[in-house]
Amino acid sequence: MKAMIFAAGLGTRLKPLTDTLPKALVPVCGKPLIEHVARKLRLAGIDEAVVNVHYFADKIEKWIDEQPWITTDTTEGGSKEKMQISISDERALLLETGGAVLHARKWLEGCDKFLIHNVDILSDCDLHWFASQVKEEALASLLVSNRKTTRFLLFAPEDMRLVGWMNTDTGDHHIISPEIDPAECRKLAFSGIHILSDKVFDLMDEYVKERGLTVDGTAGVRFPIMNFYMWAAARCPIYGVEAKSLEFIDVGKLDALKPAEEFIRRNG
């Protein structure tokens, strides 16, 4: 299985650190976030990944080029000694999460399934276990947990199929069918880690066409992946996979850096 690391974000909540660094290179215990994520993927047996870049893209590329355990040579490929990382360049236009996946199509299509991991997420999730929970028919499988948040995904209680989302602060919600009662759904928090079937690309093409989204030349097309999931969930099975007792840190804010360092020290 291949992987994609979302690393193109502006990291505005991590200012002033991100005044001079991309979020991906913000250090935790002396190593950048992207290294913690990439090594976790590598330990899970993933030896080929694509990283999208936009903000301070040259600094991420330089870091990748300097790592002796990473190769960007596609002829060499991933190996026991090295992880192969390709760059999906979004310098011309920040494509959001859905557009980023579609833009990386040439690296991911044909691999059957691929894992997506946000660069600012640290967790103790066993990625082998997560992959083993993916149903054959799933268009996507979303790692979720029962934790405190205001934004929840909604799942059918009988089979954990995705049916909507809810913001408990604002009361906003979306349900894929009027026949579904949100009160009867399971409310779980998304982790930013998901596994997609490579069949997703043809469906994304259909979504872009149906929504009339503008394709900006070779730069790509912008759309959030969660918007796509809500559209696709009415057509194809998208499931939640609940990780019990998941330890999870979103390192997207300055006050998360200290807990992130404590997590790394505990977990290695």
Side-chain angles (χ1 to χ4, degrees):
M1 184 167 62
K2 294 184 180 181
M4 181 172 188
I5 301 174
F6 284 155
L10 302 178
T12 53
R13 295 180 299 160
L14 282 168
K15 285 180 174 292
L17 294 177
T18 49
D19 287 339
T20 56
L21 281 177
K23 177 168 58 176
L25 296 185
V26 168
V28 176
C29 289
K31 294 182 179 179
L33 284 168
I34 192 172
E35 179 164 354
H36 291 295
V37 172
R39 287 191 181 276
K40 182 177 180 68
L41 297 176
R42 190 71 185 87
L43 287 170
I46 296 172
D47 57 15
E48 291 186 42
V50 57
V51 174
N52 67 329
V53 296
H54 172 79
Y55 184 64
F56 285 124
D58 55 331
K59 293 190 176 185
I60 297 176
E61 288 183 321
K62 183 175 184 292
W63 179 85
I64 288 172
D65 287 340
E66 291 174 348
Q67 305 311 302
W69 57 280
I70 293 176
T71 180
T72 56
D73 186 348
T74 56
T75 61
E76 180 179 337
S79 66
K80 186 175 181 180
E81 293 77 25
K82 291 189 176 184
M83 183 176 190
Q84 178 191 315
I85 291 184
S86 302
I87 297 295
S88 182
D89 195 333
E90 296 181 24
R91 284 178 175 87
L93 182 67
L94 187 58
L95 298 175
E96 300 189 62
T97 47
V101 173
L102 188 56
H103 194 59
R105 182 177 197 158
K106 69 178 182 180
W107 291 286
L108 300 171
E109 194 166 35
C111 70
D112 185 35
K113 293 180 179 65
F114 58 95
L115 184 143
I116 292 177
H117 201 300
N118 287 3
V119 78
D120 56 0
I121 296 301
L122 299 176
S123 81
D124 62 356
C125 175
D126 181 339
L127 297 181
H128 283 294
W129 168 83
F130 178 35
S132 75
Q133 302 304 300
V134 173
K135 298 178 182 178
E136 186 61 34
E137 73 275 14
L139 180 74
S141 302
L142 318 182
L143 184 72
V144 292
S145 64
N146 185 7
R147 67 178 188 276
K148 186 177 180 181
T149 185
T150 59
R151 295 177 294 177
F152 292 96
L153 295 180
L154 303 178
F155 298 93
E158 65 275 8
D159 62 359
M160 283 292 287
R161 186 161 172 168
L162 178 68
V163 295
W165 60 263
M166 173 180 290
N167 187 318
T168 55
D169 263 2
T170 64
D172 293 338
H173 67 278
H174 172 85
I175 301 293
I176 65 171
S177 169
E179 299 175 357
I180 296 171
D181 181 358
E184 296 181 356
C185 296
R186 295 202 64 198
K187 297 192 293 291
L188 296 163
F190 181 42
S191 67
I193 305 170
H194 29 155
I195 294 176
L196 284 69
S197 163
D198 70 346
K199 296 181 177 66
V200 75
F201 294 109
D202 289 339
L203 206 58
M204 282 184 167
D205 287 340
E206 185 181 337
Y207 173 78
V208 167
K209 183 177 180 181
E210 183 177 305
R211 292 299 172 97
L213 300 178
T214 301
V215 178
D216 187 348
T218 58
V221 57
R222 298 182 66 191
F223 61 94
I225 200 164
M226 199 53 67
N227 288 9
F228 166 75
Y229 279 159
M230 292 302 149
W231 175 87
R235 295 159 174 79
C236 301
I238 296 175
Y239 296 106
V241 175
E242 184 181 3
K244 305 286 188 180
S245 304
L246 178 70
E247 188 171 2
F248 168 94
I249 300 176
D250 178 351
V251 197
K253 299 181 293 185
L254 288 173
D255 61 7
L257 289 174
K258 185 175 180 180
E261 293 196 344
E262 292 169 353
F263 170 84
I264 291 297
R265 291 191 184 101
R266 286 196 309 273
N267 292 279

